[in-house]
Amino acid sequence: MTGYTMLRNGGVGNGGQTCMLRWSNRIRLTWLSFTLFIILVFFPLIAHYYLTTLDEADEAGKRIFGPRAGNELCEVKHVLDLCRIRESVSEELLQLEAKRQELNSEIAKLNLKIEACKKSIENAKQDLLQLKNVISQTEHSYKELMAQNQPKLSLPIRLLPEKDDAGLPPPKVLRGCRLHNCFDYSRCPLTSGFPVYVYDSDQFAFGSYLDPLVKQAFQATARANVYVTDNADIACLYVILVGEMQEPVVLRPADLEKQLSSLPHWRTDGHNHVIINLSRKSDTQNLLYNVSTGRAMVAQSTFYAAQYRPGFDLVVSPLVHAMSEPNFMEIPPQVPVKRRYLFTFQGEKIESLRSSLQEARSFEEEMEGDPPADYDDRIIATLKAVQDSKLDQVLVEFTCKNKPKPSLPTEWALCGEREDRLELLKLSTFALIITPGDPHLVISSGCATRLFEALEVGAVPVVLGEQVQLPYQDMLQWSEAALVVPKPRVTEVHFLLRSLSDSDLLAMRRQGRFLWETYFSTADSIFNTVLAMIRTRIQIPAAPIREEAAAEIPHRSGKAAGTDPNMADNGDLDLGPVETEPPYASPRYLRNFTLTVTDFYRSWNSAPGPFHLFPHTPFDPVLPSEAKFLGSGTGFRPIGGGAGGSGKEFQAALGGNVPREQFTVVMLTYEREEVLMNSLERLNGLPYLNKVVVVWNSPKLPSEDLLWPDIGVPIMVVRTEKNSLNNRFLPWNEIETEAILSIDDDAHLRHDEIMFGFRVWREARDRIVGFPGRYHAWDIPHQSWLYNSNYSCELSMVLTGAAFFHKYYAYLYSYVMPQAIRDMVDEYINCEDIAMNFLVSHITRKPPIKVTSRWTFRCPGCPQALSHDDSHFHERHKCINFFVKVYGYMPLLYTQFRVDSVLFKTRLPHDKTKCFKFI
């Protein structure tokens, strides 16, 4: 304590205090050095310990710091163990990576197998759906048959009479012959096919006297007729040609009657025989007058009342064009309607009825007593008065400048040559035909010749004398093409002709041209008309028209076609069915045995095709007069009008009055395989597609290694005989649907566009419905027609490179349309689409229907077609003008009507999704 105090108080000297401080500093330095020594020695040891033992610790959250650097550390036992573990783990990781890659490869293979199985399942589902549809269709057909409650009948067995049959009992008067008492129906069953046997006139004595041109023309048309048979035992009808005779041969009636009786199948009375006497000249005499023809029918151009048997004999047209086709370039056009002369007449009467009967009565005596026997004097006075009045320009001449043609008594003889008469008729709006004054002369060759020439050049016939029997009068409605005026009304003829409107005149002129082309113009048309009249009278259906046999080109379908998203994407529209139906052919024509009864006059007198003159087609169209296509799938039915009237059902099915129908695609191609394959692939999945007929128009066959796409429907590749654009419209027998979609191999159309066009066509089955529109225009400076493809609000044609039409028009185009048009198509390799538009407009008198606003349809990147050639449009100008000359007028009609699909919204339940309207 004392020392301490001293120290504090400085009890020791300064030297002691300094020593203590030094000693204290040394102690501190020593302690600090000792501490640093401990830290520098023991801390690394402790750290090394933890570094070697920390890997073995199991506490959570502790981590391995990894390999240590330096070879001196590996000398430690734990470090060596860690190195061995690291190497072992690395090897195991490599092995696991190899196994992982192997498993991934196996997984990829299994995925491929799964995808293949899914596709197989989808295909199986589609097959199952198709089978279900087939079963459903079969059940539906079965129910329909059961509902009809009619037993299935087989064709009746044909009963043929014996060769030496006695025939029918003879009528009391041969002039009383009619079908019921002079025709043997047992030889002509409904299912017989109407076989006709034609005698060879050269085997009989009168055959050597026949006019060579008439005989040659008759034999040529008989050989080509579909009804003619060589088996006389099964024949329904027997035909013999007896005239006209060469000049100056005169065959006595007794000799001709004897030769007719000696015909092998005459059977005592000549029943089921037709005796044809064709007149090539206007002065042909009545060869069969005073000849007993028994029960045989007579077909000629001259008849007396005592000779003519109404409903049994036939008045036929004279054979003017014996061995030549009419020259359409020489036939004048049907417009303008009014020509230079209002009416014309040239003729001379060699012997009047008044002079022949040696009686003369005044007008007052005629009015008080019996009707006058001859009005010729009054007719002459009246017509001369009209000519002198100068009210209209008319030309009447009752005296020939040169010697008149020979004629029958009381008949007006023809003046001049045929060419001169035609030139005058070309300038005439009406052509007067004055019937013979003899009331017993029913028809004469002179009158028939005047009628023929008037119809040929478009002069509307005006027949003075209602007692006349015009050719085929019991079948044709002559009131639609000619005016038949009683002779007492001759003073009213001028007023009557002035009262007709231009539209009525053009309609009569057009109908007269139709009758002339169909029933008068050639030997084929005359012979076919005679047979058709008899067949129609006995109510036998026409034979099926021949279809073009398709020579298929073998090909391989090696790849499944994909679905082009541009084709399948319909936006908000869903025009296809929910389930895809298998190929379903249109029903065959079922009115074969009723058409001859129900549509008697319409079929013979209407321009939509001579149903009775030509064999019928399997798909004769249902015209608007027969059925109204109300709501057959294009949305004109009222919303909520019953089951199926809503938008949902509308989209899911075709609907309408014909709920099940498909169409056939006909695609013309020429050595463009890649373009063709792309076009076919775009048809994959197209609803209502029945079949694709590829018309291979090249003589070179497709490549053998070419793989054709599998689009779910049959693809028929047809080989043609020659490269012709007319092949597009051949009625191939492989086309089993009424609807045909004619499409070019480079046409680029979406599925919804095709479906919409099909729906619209079903509302207008008698018209062309398509996409690219064109129109014709009148070139005022050159006075000719032009073809125009510019964009316009008006159109008159729809190109058949993408258009729907009825198969019936394929028959008319190939077999009925004038051959001159098809020849021009082959000459220019162009204009077949224009020709089809002309034909349909000529028949229906309706314009085509354009759907959607699309004006072109070529696919991008496709090779250029023939239409890109500079001469393409020049050729089409020429085609239009040539077709107008053939038809005699411009049949194309303008229209501003276009059908578009517009999606509109209305208040409907959630399951009634959408409807469509059309503008």
Side-chain angles (χ1 to χ4, degrees):
M1 182 67 184
T2 303
Y4 176 73
T5 304
M6 291 177 63
L7 288 173
R8 291 181 57 91
N9 296 326
V12 182
N14 292 333
Q17 185 178 2
T18 302
C19 293
M20 286 300 293
L21 293 171
R22 292 178 178 174
W23 181 78
S24 176
N25 292 333
R26 287 192 186 105
I27 291 175
R28 292 176 181 173
L29 292 173
T30 303
W31 177 253
L32 181 60
S33 301
F34 179 76
T35 302
L36 292 173
F37 176 77
I38 293 300
I39 291 173
L40 294 174
V41 174
F42 287 97
F43 185 80
L45 294 176
I46 294 172
H48 181 269
Y49 174 78
Y50 278 100
L51 290 175
T52 55
T53 60
L54 195 59
D55 293 338
E56 300 176 0
D58 295 330
E59 291 82 4
K62 294 186 177 181
R63 300 174 59 189
I64 301 175
F65 297 118
R68 279 64 175 175
N71 295 330
E72 65 280 0
L73 296 178
C74 294
E75 297 177 358
V76 184
K77 178 179 179 182
H78 296 289
V79 176
L80 294 174
D81 292 338
L82 289 175
C83 291
R84 285 193 298 271
I85 291 172
R86 183 187 63 180
E87 294 176 357
S88 176
V89 170
S90 299
E91 292 179 359
E92 290 179 358
L93 288 176
L94 292 175
Q95 293 177 0
L96 290 175
E97 179 65 20
K99 290 183 179 180
R100 187 183 69 83
Q101 293 180 357
E102 184 178 354
L103 290 175
N104 287 337
S105 177
E106 293 179 358
I107 290 173
K109 293 180 180 179
L110 292 176
N111 287 333
L112 292 177
K113 292 183 179 179
I114 291 173
E115 293 296 330
C117 292
K118 288 181 179 179
K119 291 183 179 179
S120 300
I121 292 173
E122 292 296 331
N123 294 334
K125 288 182 178 179
Q126 293 293 333
D127 295 340
L128 180 60
L129 289 176
Q130 292 182 359
L131 291 176
K132 288 182 178 179
N133 287 329
V134 172
I135 294 174
S136 176
Q137 294 167 10
T138 305
E139 292 177 349
H140 182 71
S141 301
Y142 176 75
K143 290 179 181 179
E144 289 182 346
L145 292 175
M146 294 299 294
Q148 293 177 0
N149 195 22
Q150 294 179 352
K152 184 177 180 180
L153 299 178
S154 59
L155 294 177
I157 300 176
R158 184 178 182 187
L159 301 177
L160 292 177
E162 300 294 336
K163 294 183 179 180
D164 55 348
D165 59 330
L168 300 172
K172 296 180 180 179
V173 182
L174 288 180
R175 288 190 63 250
C177 256
R178 300 295 184 268
L179 289 176
H180 68 277
N181 58 2
C182 288
F183 190 84
D184 187 3
Y185 280 90
S186 66
R187 302 197 64 88
C188 305
L190 290 176
T191 58
S192 63
F194 192 63
V196 176
Y197 179 79
V198 179
Y199 289 100
D200 185 3
S201 300
D202 292 333
Q203 297 180 359
F204 306 97
F206 60 83
S208 58
Y209 304 140
L210 294 177
D211 187 310
L213 289 179
V214 173
K215 181 169 62 175
Q216 185 178 357
F218 180 81
Q219 292 175 348
T221 187
R223 286 192 298 266
N225 193 275
V226 67
Y227 298 104
V228 173
T229 179
D230 295 331
N231 189 355
D233 295 334
I234 66 170
C236 165
L237 199 68
Y238 300 87
V239 179
I240 181 66
L241 178 69
V242 299
E244 94 181 335
M245 295 291 181
Q246 301 182 60
E247 296 180 353
V249 176
V250 178
L251 192 63
R252 294 189 306 171
D255 295 338
L256 180 58
E257 183 177 337
K258 181 178 180 181
Q259 295 183 34
L260 291 176
S261 302
S262 64
L263 294 176
H265 307 282
W266 187 259
R267 298 186 181 92
T268 68
D269 57 5
H271 62 272
N272 291 44
H273 276 65
V274 180
I275 305 173
I276 298 180
N277 179 22
L278 297 178
S279 303
R280 196 168 65 88
K281 298 183 292 293
S282 61
D283 56 345
T284 301
Q285 300 299 315
N286 190 354
L287 181 65
L288 296 175
Y289 190 66
N290 292 327
V291 174
S292 176
T293 56
R295 287 195 176 94
M297 302 178 188
V298 176
Q300 61 181 11
S301 300
T302 301
F303 277 104
Y304 282 97
Q307 180 187 14
Y308 181 69
R309 296 165 291 185
F312 193 74
D313 293 329
L314 295 88
V315 178
V316 300
S317 170
L319 182 60
V320 177
H321 300 287
M323 293 301 296
S324 62
E325 293 288 334
N327 188 355
F328 292 100
M329 303 301 294
E330 297 180 357
I331 298 176
Q334 299 184 27
V335 290
V337 178
K338 299 293 182 60
R339 297 178 178 178
R340 178 179 177 181
Y341 297 106
L342 178 63
F343 62 85
T344 59
F345 177 81
Q346 284 182 327
E348 183 174 344
K349 201 167 188 180
I350 307 301
E351 181 183 3
S352 66
L353 180 63
R354 188 184 301 272
S355 61
S356 64
L357 297 178
Q358 295 298 321
E359 64 181 23
R361 294 182 293 177
S362 64
F363 178 73
E364 291 75 9
E365 292 175 340
E366 294 173 355
M367 295 301 295
E368 294 176 357
D370 296 332
D374 194 356
Y375 283 92
D376 291 349
D377 294 340
R378 189 177 306 171
I379 292 174
I380 294 173
T382 303
L383 296 182
K384 284 185 176 181
V386 174
Q387 184 179 23
D388 296 338
S389 66
K390 306 295 183 179
L391 296 176
D392 289 292
Q393 192 170 2
V394 299
L395 177 62
V396 290
E397 295 178 354
F398 301 103
T399 303
C400 297
K401 297 179 181 179
N402 300 319
K403 184 179 179 180
K405 301 293 182 182
S407 62
L408 297 176
T410 74
E411 181 186 14
W412 286 92
L414 293 171
C415 295
E417 300 297 331
R418 167 177 158 81
E419 292 76 13
D420 299 331
R421 296 194 301 271
L422 293 180
E423 290 300 323
L424 179 60
L425 290 174
K426 290 177 182 179
L427 303 175
S428 307
T429 306
F430 297 94
L432 292 185
I433 302 175
I434 304 176
T435 59
D438 187 356
H440 301 293
L441 185 58
V442 177
I443 184 65
S444 65
S445 297
C447 286
T449 302
R450 289 181 183 273
L451 180 65
F452 180 95
E453 293 176 351
L455 295 177
E456 182 178 4
V457 297
V460 178
V462 180
V463 182
L464 291 178
E466 81 285 359
Q467 81 283 358
V468 69
Q469 288 290 328
L470 298 178
Y472 323 121
Q473 185 166 329
D474 53 345
M475 295 291 180
L476 303 181
Q477 284 185 308
W478 280 104
S479 60
E480 297 180 357
L483 294 174
V484 181
V485 182
K487 286 185 177 181
R489 295 189 181 275
V490 64
T491 58
E492 302 172 336
V493 168
H494 187 205
F495 169 79
L496 178 61
L497 301 185
R498 287 283 298 270
S499 65
L500 291 178
S501 64
D502 290 353
S503 59
D504 291 339
L505 276 176
L506 185 59
M508 296 181 71
R509 185 174 293 166
R510 186 167 52 243
Q511 180 68 8
R513 174 71 175 270
F514 165 74
L515 297 179
W516 178 77
E517 289 182 354
T518 308
Y519 307 111
F520 294 80
S521 57
T522 63
D524 284 341
S525 60
I526 294 176
F527 184 67
N528 290 335
T529 304
V530 169
L531 297 185
M533 285 192 64
I534 299 174
R535 179 178 49 76
T536 305
R537 285 175 175 177
I538 62 178
Q539 300 180 0
I540 293 183
I545 195 170
R546 70 179 182 90
E547 293 189 302
E548 200 69 23
E552 183 179 6
I553 300 177
H555 60 280
R556 294 186 300 163
S557 298
K559 58 179 180 178
T563 301
D564 189 345
N566 296 326
M567 298 293 102
D569 185 13
N570 300 328
D572 294 331
L573 302 180
D574 185 11
L575 298 176
V578 176
E579 298 179 357
T580 302
E581 287 189 323
Y584 171 75
S586 297
R588 309 296 283 184
Y589 196 61
L590 302 178
R591 299 185 59 202
N592 297 341
F593 299 102
T594 59
L595 179 64
T596 55
V597 178
T598 59
D599 298 329
F600 184 74
Y601 277 105
R602 185 186 66 82
S603 59
W604 275 82
N605 296 277
S606 59
F611 291 86
H612 289 269
L613 177 59
F614 296 96
H616 74 81
T617 71
F619 303 111
D620 283 339
V622 179
L623 299 178
S625 60
E626 297 180 13
K628 305 298 182 183
F629 298 98
L630 299 179
S632 57
T634 54
F636 288 101
R637 300 191 307 182
I639 301 299
S646 62
K648 184 176 182 180
E649 286 80 3
F650 174 80
Q651 295 181 86
L654 196 59
N657 297 328
V658 187
R660 296 176 65 237
E661 188 172 16
Q662 295 178 342
F663 61 90
T664 302
V665 168
V666 177
M667 186 177 296
L668 187 72
T669 187
Y670 186 90
E671 296 184 3
R672 298 199 295 181
E673 295 180 352
E674 183 178 358
V675 175
L676 175 63
M677 295 302 108
N678 294 334
S679 297
L680 291 176
E681 289 183 358
R682 286 195 292 268
L683 299 177
N684 184 35
L686 179 61
Y688 306 123
L689 179 58
N690 178 273
K691 185 184 300 181
V692 178
V693 177
V694 177
V695 181
W696 192 264
N697 220 23
S698 171
K700 180 181 177 182
L701 296 179
S703 304
E704 296 182 357
D705 57 348
L706 182 63
L707 295 180
W708 296 70
D710 183 5
I711 61 175
V713 297
I715 297 179
M716 175 70 65
V717 185
V718 178
R719 184 176 184 179
T720 59
E721 296 181 356
K722 64 176 182 178
N723 177 21
S724 172
L725 294 180
N726 293 316
N727 296 331
R728 179 196 296 272
F729 302 125
L730 285 174
W732 302 104
N733 58 353
E734 292 295 334
I735 301 177
E736 300 177 328
T737 60
E738 295 184 24
I740 294 178
L741 172 57
S742 175
I743 190 169
D744 288 340
D745 58 0
D746 57 356
H748 195 80
L749 293 174
R750 299 194 311 271
H751 287 186
D752 63 303
E753 293 176 321
I754 297 176
M755 287 308 308
F756 180 69
F758 181 48
R759 290 180 182 274
V760 174
W761 176 86
R762 297 177 78 246
E763 290 285 347
R765 308 173 74 90
D766 59 337
R767 299 162 81 173
I768 298 177
V769 177
F771 300 90
R774 301 292 186 265
Y775 67 96
H776 66 289
W778 180 250
D779 185 6
I780 297 178
H782 298 88
Q783 294 293 296
S784 62
W785 294 103
L786 295 178
Y787 170 84
N788 202 314
S789 62
N790 297 329
Y791 292 88
S792 173
C793 295
E794 202 167 41
L795 61 99
S796 59
M797 292 176 283
V798 167
L799 302 186
T800 55
F804 287 91
F805 63 89
H806 200 287
K807 187 181 179 182
Y808 180 73
Y809 295 128
Y811 296 99
L812 296 184
Y813 184 97
S814 302
Y815 304 137
V816 179
M817 188 180 68
Q819 181 63 36
I821 297 180
R822 293 191 292 271
D823 292 340
M824 188 155 193
V825 171
D826 288 336
E827 178 182 355
Y828 285 150
I829 317 179
N830 199 343
C831 307
E832 85 287 354
D833 47 359
I834 301 178
M836 177 59 81
N837 277 271
F838 266 70
L839 174 66
V840 177
S841 296
H842 170 66
I843 290 174
T844 63
R845 302 307 302 138
K846 297 178 183 178
I849 297 178
K850 174 176 170 51
V851 293
T852 75
S853 60
R854 179 187 288 266
W855 205 260
T856 60
F857 54 90
R858 299 297 177 186
C859 63
C862 293
Q864 288 190 350
L866 294 174
S867 58
H868 294 276
D869 191 358
D870 294 337
S871 62
H872 175 75
F873 287 95
H874 298 288
E875 293 173 350
R876 295 174 86 80
H877 299 330
K878 296 179 181 178
C879 288
I880 286 185
N881 288 279
F882 178 78
F883 296 165
V884 168
K885 290 182 179 180
V886 173
Y887 283 99
Y889 74 111
M890 169 54 75
L892 298 180
L893 299 173
Y894 291 108
T895 181
Q896 296 180 356
F897 179 76
R898 192 185 79 197
V899 184
D900 287 330
S901 176
V902 180
L903 181 66
F904 70 94
K905 297 181 180 180
T906 186
R907 300 183 63 181
L908 292 174
H910 66 279
D911 60 335
K912 311 295 185 182
T913 55
K914 54 186 86 164
C915 304
F916 298 94
K917 70 178 180 179
F918 297 84
I919 61 174

